[in-house]
Amino acid sequence: GESVGLHLPTLSVQEGDNSIINCAYSNSASDYFIWYKQESGKGPQFIIDIRSNMDKRQGQRVTVLLNKTVKHLSLQIAATQPGDSAVYFCAEKGSSASKIIFGSGTRLSIRP
Amino acid sequence: DAGVIQSPRHEVTEMGQEVTLRCKPISGHDYLFWYRQTMMRGLELLIYFNNNVPIDDSGMPEDRFSAKMPNASFSTLKIQPSEPRDSAVYFCASSGTGVRGQPQHFGDGTRLSIL
């Protein structure tokens, strides 16, 4: 079956540096993508989304980039803070599907 | 502004017992989703509703699992009888009109342990 692919690596970043979390998706028909942040003991929290007619979208300290040619999605966090420590999931939704498919997540840890 | 509310936050029960998990979606949202999260399988969609009607329950693992949505502000997920392999964190999420292009908002989950 098609899936959004994230192995569960740990990304360690120095506080204050920028973080880049990557995601590969396999369904070329997907037209909506979402990033979620999950802190320990909490549910996934919506961060930012992007539709397939865009290749970049910015929020507060976060930027999502979409490269449809290579089916790649990334989340950039500027000036990483201790509160950014969490597991980050990308998710996709296809135009003909009604379910969101979640990747397996990336753990972001912040070094002081 | 209240988010998705789930109860209980934690449930520990013995194998064979009935378990009922509860969810109150965000007011005005017409989609409701139940997920299960484990280390081995990640986040799995179990079932989702649109306007209180179950649309896709293909993720429900077995007949022991059932879900209802009697009205727009309440849903339950029931496991009867429960088994140790059902131990997981169960999340409820809701979203606004148009399951495409609308992010789902999650509750903080019910951590279920079956002994």
Side-chain angles (χ1 to χ4, degrees):
Chain A
E2 295 177 309
S3 65
V4 174
L6 269 181
H7 305 291
L8 189 60
T10 295
L11 178 64
S12 180
V13 175
Q14 189 76 36
E15 182 178 350
D17 287 352
N18 297 335
S19 301
I20 300 176
I21 301 171
N22 296 303
C23 174
Y25 65 94
S26 58
N27 185 355
S28 57
S30 292
D31 62 357
Y32 179 59
F33 304 87
I34 313 158
W35 280 101
Y36 286 90
K37 172 187 180 183
Q38 187 174 21
E39 297 174 277
S40 180
K42 295 189 177 181
Q45 177 188 5
F46 169 77
I47 302 173
I48 192 167
D49 57 4
I50 188 167
R51 289 170 175 74
S52 59
N53 61 350
M54 303 171 68
D55 53 19
K56 181 179 180 178
R57 191 169 186 212
Q58 288 185 293
Q60 187 176 17
R61 280 201 310 118
V62 294
T63 300
V64 56
L65 299 177
L66 175 62
N67 185 330
K68 294 181 288 293
T69 302
V70 296
K71 291 184 282 189
H72 184 268
L73 191 68
S74 68
L75 177 70
Q76 300 178 4
I77 305 173
T80 310
Q81 303 169 358
D84 295 328
S85 292
V87 176
Y88 289 80
F89 295 93
C90 66
E92 65 170 318
K93 188 177 294 177
S95 58
S96 60
S98 46
K99 302 178 191 180
I100 285 178
I101 299 172
F102 284 85
S104 56
T106 295
R107 183 175 303 280
L108 178 64
S109 77
I110 313 303
R111 301 191 304 273
Chain B
D1 188 19
V4 175
I5 299 172
Q6 292 186 246
S7 65
R9 288 299 314 276
H10 303 273
E11 175 88 12
V12 180
T13 192
E14 292 188 344
M15 174 179 169
Q17 297 297 306
E18 178 179 289
V19 173
T20 300
L21 311 181
R22 297 172 175 80
C23 175
K24 177 179 169 55
I26 292 172
S27 179
H29 281 184
D30 53 359
Y31 283 87
L32 184 140
F33 306 81
W34 282 101
Y35 289 87
R36 177 171 68 176
Q37 187 176 42
T38 61
M39 289 297 292
M40 291 297 294
R41 300 172 69 92
L43 201 56
E44 302 174 276
L45 177 65
L46 301 177
I47 185 172
Y48 78 92
F49 295 81
N50 177 217
N51 292 322
N52 313 337
V53 176
I55 302 301
D56 185 346
D57 65 355
S58 59
M60 296 285 262
E62 301 173 30
D63 291 345
R64 297 184 297 107
F65 286 69
S66 63
K68 294 183 180 179
M69 192 165 185
N71 58 63
S73 60
F74 184 66
S75 177
T76 59
L77 177 68
K78 188 171 292 188
I79 308 172
Q80 167 63 20
S82 58
E83 297 183 2
R85 61 192 168 123
D86 302 330
S87 298
V89 182
Y90 290 81
F91 289 104
C92 176
S94 69
S95 70
T97 299
V99 69
R100 299 184 184 85
Q102 292 286 336
Q104 295 174 17
H105 298 269
F106 285 76
D108 282 338
T110 295
R111 183 172 295 277
L112 178 64
S113 297
I114 308 298
L115 307 177

